[in-house]
């Protein structure tokens, strides 16, 4: 399916910021659930047909203290000859777990859950990015908040984008693999992204608003 809003936003951001504008994030609401999207507008992956794609990673953000639910799905984003971004809305093994997070009752009356509608809504909300770039770009910070790490902790609390030359650690890869599966762990490794964890339930639901940040090299 086409991703018209994300296409427009990506073109706008890249035209203005060039290589500093290839990675950005935004938030979306679906009912009572909050999600954070990360678009890495770089061809870092190969699909089953050997075509390069840019990953769009969408993760569930816990908003209640003590919420241990985790959900992450990576969409393989391609560009057609008209410069339109597109991706399959198919969720595979992530389908039922997303329904559970959204609280969708299989026996409830009315239209059923449509993965295409979910992706359409998530990419539409990228329109918030150009008007407030400082809130959506990957910022540089000197340190992670106290009590937040990449190997220890039971609560997922966001993502950390590592600098060029510094990738995801083996321990973080193993933790990501255990909690999110091979697909997400592989994308994180290729994109130099580490998952962040904490034992403080307060930080688990407060941190993700600014969780995708890059530590400054010492």
């Amino acid at each position: 399916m086409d991703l018209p809003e994300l296409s427009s936003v990506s073109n706008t951001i890249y035209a203005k910021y060039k290589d500093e504008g290839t990675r950005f994030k935004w938030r979306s609401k679906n009912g009572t659930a909050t999600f954070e999207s990360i678009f890495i507008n770089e061809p870092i992956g190969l699909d089953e047909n050997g075509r390069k794609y840019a990953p769009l990673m969408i993760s569930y953000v816990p908003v209640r203290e003590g919420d241990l639910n985790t959900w992450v799905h990576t969409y393989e984003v391609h560009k057609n000859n008209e410069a339109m971004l597109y991706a399959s809305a198919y969720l595979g093994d992530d389908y039922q777990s997303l329904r559970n997070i959204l609280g969708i009752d299989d026996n409830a009356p009315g239209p059923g859950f449509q993965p295409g509608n979910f992706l359409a809504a998530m990419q539409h909300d990228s329109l918030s990015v150009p008007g407030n770039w400082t809130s959506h770009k990957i910022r540089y910070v000197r340190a992670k908040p106290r009590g937040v790490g990449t190997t220890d902790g039971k609560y997922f609390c966001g993502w950390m984008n590592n600098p060029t030359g510094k990738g995801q650690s083996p321990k973080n890869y193993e933790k990501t693999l255990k909690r999110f599966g091979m697909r997400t762990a592989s994308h994180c490794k290729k994109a130099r992204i580490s998952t962040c964890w904490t034992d403080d339930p307060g930080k688990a639901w407060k941190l993700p608003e600014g969780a995708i940040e890059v530590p400054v090299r010492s």
Side-chain angles (χ1 to χ4, degrees):
M1 62 176 284
D2 289 346
L3 309 174
E5 287 81 15
L6 183 56
S7 298
S8 176
V9 168
S10 297
N11 291 336
T12 298
I13 295 300
Y14 188 77
K16 187 170 184 179
Y17 299 104
K18 302 304 180 186
D19 290 342
E20 294 183 359
T22 60
R23 298 184 175 199
F24 51 90
K25 57 176 177 147
W26 66 95
R27 289 246 171 145
S28 303
K29 293 279 290 185
N30 188 302
T32 60
T34 300
F35 295 87
E36 187 158 76
S37 299
I38 314 166
F39 184 49
I40 303 172
N41 194 15
E42 304 164 18
I44 66 170
L46 289 176
D47 66 14
E48 59 184 10
N49 297 313
R51 299 178 302 165
K52 293 182 178 180
Y53 66 84
L56 169 62
M57 300 175 65
I58 300 180
S59 62
Y60 169 68
V61 177
V63 294
R64 298 184 308 277
E65 186 168 348
D67 186 351
L68 285 171
N69 286 311
T70 57
W71 184 86
V72 180
H73 184 77
T74 300
Y75 296 91
E76 299 175 357
V77 178
H78 297 277
K79 183 182 292 186
N80 65 20
N81 293 334
E82 286 73 44
M84 172 66 73
L85 299 178
Y86 66 95
S88 170
Y90 180 67
L91 292 171
D93 294 339
D94 298 327
Y95 175 77
Q96 188 58 50
S97 53
L98 176 59
R99 289 172 60 92
N100 294 340
I101 283 176
L102 294 176
I104 296 174
D105 184 352
D106 292 333
N107 300 316
F113 172 69
Q114 298 294 326
N117 292 341
F118 176 79
L119 177 55
M122 297 296 107
Q123 68 90 33
H124 180 273
D125 288 342
S126 67
L127 290 173
S128 63
V129 174
N132 192 7
W133 176 239
T134 56
S135 295
H136 297 279
K137 69 177 182 178
I138 296 176
R139 295 170 290 164
Y140 286 79
V141 296
R142 296 196 177 279
K144 295 185 294 297
R146 184 185 299 274
V148 173
T150 58
T151 57
D152 298 322
K154 61 183 179 180
Y155 297 101
F156 170 66
C157 58
W159 314 84
M160 184 181 73
N161 191 62
N162 295 293
T164 301
K166 292 186 178 181
Q168 181 188 34
S169 71
K171 286 186 177 181
N172 185 255
Y173 175 83
E174 291 298 325
K175 178 124 184 163
T176 305
L177 177 66
K178 182 178 179 180
R179 293 294 296 270
F180 293 143
M182 176 65 75
R183 183 176 173 80
T184 298
S186 177
H187 281 103
C188 286
K189 185 176 181 179
K190 291 177 181 178
R192 307 189 315 275
I193 289 174
S194 299
T195 49
C196 293
W197 306 87
T198 181
D199 281 322
D200 183 339
K203 288 186 172 66
W205 63 279
K206 293 176 182 176
L207 179 65
E209 187 67 41
I212 312 168
E213 312 221 342
V214 187
V216 174
R217 287 192 183 94
S218 58

